[in-house]
Amino acid sequence: MKFKTKLAGAVSGIAIFVSAGVAQAETLFWSTQAKPVEEAQAMREQVLAGQDVDYQPNDGGPWLTRLNAELQAGSGTIGVLGALHGDFSAMNPDDLVDLGDLGVGSASATFNELAKLGTDSAQYIPWMQASYIMAANKKALEHLPEGADINALTYDQLIAWAGNVQAATGDAKFGFPAGPKGLKHRFFQGYLYPSYTNGVVRTFASDEAVTAWEKMRELWAVTNPASTNFSFLQEQLLSEDVWIAFDHTSRLAQAFNERPDDFVAFPAPAGPTGRGFMPVIAGVAIPRTAPDMDAAKAVVQHLLKPETQVATLRATNFFPVVDVALPDDLPPAVQAAGDAVAKMSASADANPGLLPAGLGDKGGDFNRVFVDAFERIVLAGQDIRAVLDDQKTRLQAIMDETGAPCWAPDAPSDGACPVE
């Protein structure tokens, strides 16, 4: 690896970040991702092997502080930025270089559009992704509704499938992570709402949201009632208390790794407004103050090569965003989940519901609004319209207090996202 011997901290506003005598790599890759020591080392030794790159991960606060200092100074040492979609969406688009001429991007047209951040240019390039998926015991496949494609299910077909399994076995075998540590709020925010309302915040109390909760009640009617205690669905898949399940890829992994021949992974179902799903999208960008644009662009192009994407998967457990055949020596859970995530994100009706952004320490309160709606509507059987109108007030207060603007699939907002 080649290093510059001259310090790049000549700008006084940046000098605090660079200790005297520390050599700087040709291209500084400043990232909020792959921060654990093992992952960072794997990034350097496997993903970026042979590249003139200094990979430096950091927490969000220091990452943004240094970046803002360089942008304010008008010059700096950071060549490439690695961060989540929400980090980039909070930036001024003028501070990022248009990467549309690089000839690289995600296999998902939806992701590539999101990366424009509402502009006409590629503000960042999708880099890697994680998500939540569906999984099933292969015993359940014979009970699929006639004509249903497991890789392109609708919510109605999922409900019918779970009903068929219940009729055949005498037990409700759809599993939902409704336990105390379950990720049920992400299902509502990233899957149910985008699939039925094409929004999350704006559409929270809409007529379409009423329909969504009616559909959730139908699904719950064929759900294992013990799901209120389920938090990691891999356990119930292995015990066969559940034959069909929704959960985060990491919370299904044990089932696939222990009994890979018994289970299948597949995309989440679709509703009237698309196949809602919640991707955790990380991207790479180049700040306008990058010292060597050509070198920085070469790093971005390297990261999107199929072989580099596989190396990134091994290093971080984040899945590729490009079309790539996964090697046979990957753990079974990675192969199964990777295939499902790829099909889901590249589907023609993909409608991602992104992670909430801009909420600060109010993220838990935001999640609670959706959890309380579930408990009141589905578990307690309260009137849907009355519950949504009541919860709407709480949600709007959170948005007003934080000033958080809307995120996809909600339409952009000037200022706090409104609950319409």
Side-chain angles (χ1 to χ4, degrees):
M1 185 177 290
K2 300 177 182 177
F3 292 88
K4 291 180 179 178
T5 56
K6 184 178 180 180
L7 282 177
V11 180
S12 60
I14 303 168
I16 57 173
F17 298 106
V18 185
S19 301
V22 177
Q24 296 297 300
E26 287 292 335
T27 301
L28 174 58
F29 189 169
W30 190 238
S31 175
T32 64
Q33 302 303 295
K35 290 181 294 183
V37 174
E38 298 83 358
E39 290 187 13
Q41 197 63 20
M43 283 292 298
R44 298 181 185 110
E45 296 179 353
Q46 301 169 28
V47 178
L48 297 166
Q51 305 295 306
D52 291 335
V53 177
D54 179 17
Y55 182 76
Q56 293 296 334
N58 219 315
D59 291 333
W63 180 87
L64 186 60
T65 299
R66 175 169 182 169
L67 173 60
N68 283 341
E70 295 195 1
L71 292 169
Q72 185 175 2
S75 64
T77 59
I78 298 172
V80 175
L81 297 167
L84 295 177
H85 170 88
D87 298 318
F88 290 129
S89 65
M91 293 180 62
N92 183 340
D94 292 337
D95 288 333
L96 299 174
V97 175
D98 180 5
L99 301 179
D101 63 345
L102 291 188
V104 295
S106 170
S108 168
T110 305
F111 285 4
N112 293 331
E113 189 63 29
L114 286 173
K116 294 180 180 179
L117 300 177
T119 71
D120 294 326
S121 58
Q123 301 294 295
Y124 72 84
I125 300 293
W127 171 27
M128 55 187 186
Q129 62 174 321
S131 194
Y132 305 72
I133 58 171
M134 305 289 297
N137 189 308
K138 290 182 180 179
K139 293 178 182 178
L141 297 181
E142 65 180 280
H143 303 293
L144 275 165
E146 185 176 353
D149 177 356
I150 195 173
N151 291 312
L153 290 175
T154 66
Y155 274 89
D156 286 335
Q157 289 173 329
L158 174 62
I159 292 166
W161 185 18
N164 291 346
V165 170
Q166 184 177 23
T169 65
D171 295 313
K173 287 187 174 291
F174 178 76
F176 185 71
K181 296 182 180 179
L183 299 171
K184 51 189 173 292
H185 52 289
R186 296 306 190 208
F187 176 81
F188 307 132
Q189 296 162 4
Y191 292 76
L192 187 68
Y193 261 81
S195 295
Y196 278 87
T197 77
N198 199 35
V200 182
V201 176
R202 288 182 182 272
T203 60
F204 176 79
S206 63
D207 290 341
E208 292 78 10
V210 172
T211 301
W213 285 109
E214 289 172 344
K215 198 59 60 176
M216 188 65 209
R217 277 180 172 171
E218 290 182 38
L219 181 59
W220 189 257
V222 289
T223 295
N224 186 322
S227 287
T228 50
N229 297 315
F230 297 167
S231 295
F232 290 73
L233 267 297
Q234 57 194 7
E235 299 166 8
Q236 284 72 40
L237 284 170
L238 286 168
S239 68
E240 298 196 9
D241 290 329
V242 160
W243 279 12
I244 310 168
F246 163 87
D247 214 335
H248 191 278
T249 54
S250 64
R251 295 182 174 210
L252 297 168
Q254 184 181 355
F256 285 94
N257 286 336
E258 288 190 14
R259 289 162 49 190
D261 295 332
D262 291 348
F263 303 106
V264 293
F266 52 99
T273 55
R275 192 169 305 278
F277 73 106
M278 180 173 274
V280 181
I281 308 173
V284 282
I286 299 176
R288 58 176 170 79
T289 49
D292 187 336
M293 289 292 175
D294 289 340
K297 289 180 178 180
V299 174
V300 173
Q301 289 174 316
H302 171 75
L303 291 170
L304 271 292
K305 293 177 180 178
E307 60 269 26
T308 312
Q309 290 269 293
V310 172
T312 303
L313 169 59
R314 293 185 188 277
T316 67
N317 288 317
F318 268 70
F319 294 100
V321 297
V322 304
D323 286 327
V324 58
L326 297 180
D328 293 336
D329 63 345
L330 289 171
V334 173
Q335 294 188 54
D339 182 59
V341 168
K343 288 175 179 174
M344 190 162 57
S345 60
S347 62
D349 56 356
N351 191 17
L354 301 184
L355 283 166
L359 299 176
D361 60 3
K362 294 295 180 180
D365 293 340
F366 180 85
N367 295 338
R368 192 72 234 173
V369 169
F370 290 84
V371 172
D372 285 351
F374 165 71
E375 292 179 348
R376 292 176 62 182
I377 292 170
V378 179
L379 301 186
Q382 296 180 22
D383 180 75
I384 298 175
R385 169 51 60 198
V387 171
L388 294 182
D389 287 345
D390 185 28
Q391 297 291 98
K392 174 181 177 179
T393 303
R394 291 177 55 196
L395 180 58
Q396 188 65 70
I398 293 169
M399 304 313 295
D400 290 342
E401 183 175 348
T402 61
C406 299
W407 55 86
D410 277 314
S413 62
D414 292 325
C417 191
V419 186
E420 297 171 345

